């Protein structure tokens, strides 16, 4: 079973993404900011990260940069999900090491298709 870490400071967003991913058969963990997510990533291998941009303590860009700087960590794909829709926000995400940038709110079928592609699975 593939293991996904959702990183978002909004409980409703974490719950929304969790329900979509668990219904599709994925194991899901949650973190409320980048620091908590990094601690979890150092102790548990994840197959994919679903990361918000704007969070307290350590934002999504900084989390992904830090994650990518750890050579010992499994370099799993990361999807940034944000309400920020400017091209510069997307560019910043890719420069930090994100594999994909989605605008909130994400449609369940769209999110799952992207997750499946990044995990090397076939799309529905």
């Amino acid at each position: 079973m593939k293991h996904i870490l959702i990183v978002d400071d909004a409980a409703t967003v974490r719950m929304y993404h969790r329900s979509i991913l668990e219904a599709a058969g994925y194991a899901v963990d949650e973190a409320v900011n980048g620091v908590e997510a990094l601690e979890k990533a150092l102790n548990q291998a994840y197959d994919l990260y679903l990361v918000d941009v704007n969070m307290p303590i350590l934002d999504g860009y900084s989390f992904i940069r830090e994650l990518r700087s750890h050579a010992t960590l499994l370099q799993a794909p990361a999807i940034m999900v944000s309400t920020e829709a400017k091209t510069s926000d997307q560019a910043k995400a890719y420069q930090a090491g994100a594999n994909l940038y989605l605008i909130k709110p994400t449609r369940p079928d769209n999110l799952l298709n992207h997750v499946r592609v990044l995990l090397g699975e076939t799309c529905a």
Side-chain angles (χ1 to χ4, degrees):
M1 179 182 286
K2 301 285 186 174
H3 208 146
I4 298 173
L5 180 62
I6 298 170
V7 188
D8 199 305
D9 58 323
T12 52
V13 173
R14 289 194 313 273
M15 216 167 39
Y16 173 69
H17 288 143
R18 175 186 279 276
S19 66
I20 294 166
L21 295 168
E22 285 182 341
Y26 298 106
V28 176
D29 281 342
E30 298 178 9
V32 297
N33 60 56
V35 170
E36 183 183 351
L38 199 55
E39 288 171 357
K40 288 183 181 230
L42 290 167
N43 292 305
Q44 157 83 45
Y46 291 98
D47 298 293
L48 186 133
Y49 298 93
L50 190 61
V51 185
D52 182 30
V53 170
N54 298 311
M55 295 179 290
I57 304 174
L58 188 67
D59 68 17
Y61 301 127
S62 300
F63 164 68
I64 291 180
R65 265 194 302 278
E66 187 65 28
L67 185 71
R68 297 297 188 228
S69 74
H70 284 268
T72 58
L73 288 178
L74 171 68
Q75 293 298 317
I79 300 174
M80 300 224 50
V81 186
S82 180
T83 55
E84 307 295 335
K86 293 186 297 228
T87 306
S88 60
D89 296 309
Q90 293 180 32
K92 194 172 176 183
Y94 292 127
Q95 288 166 357
N99 298 84
L100 186 65
Y101 190 94
L102 299 176
I103 308 297
K104 289 180 186 176
T106 56
R107 288 193 351 259
D109 59 336
N110 189 38
L111 176 63
L112 284 176
N113 282 337
H114 287 301
V115 165
R116 288 179 178 129
V117 166
L118 287 172
L119 290 174
E121 302 170 354
T122 56
C123 292

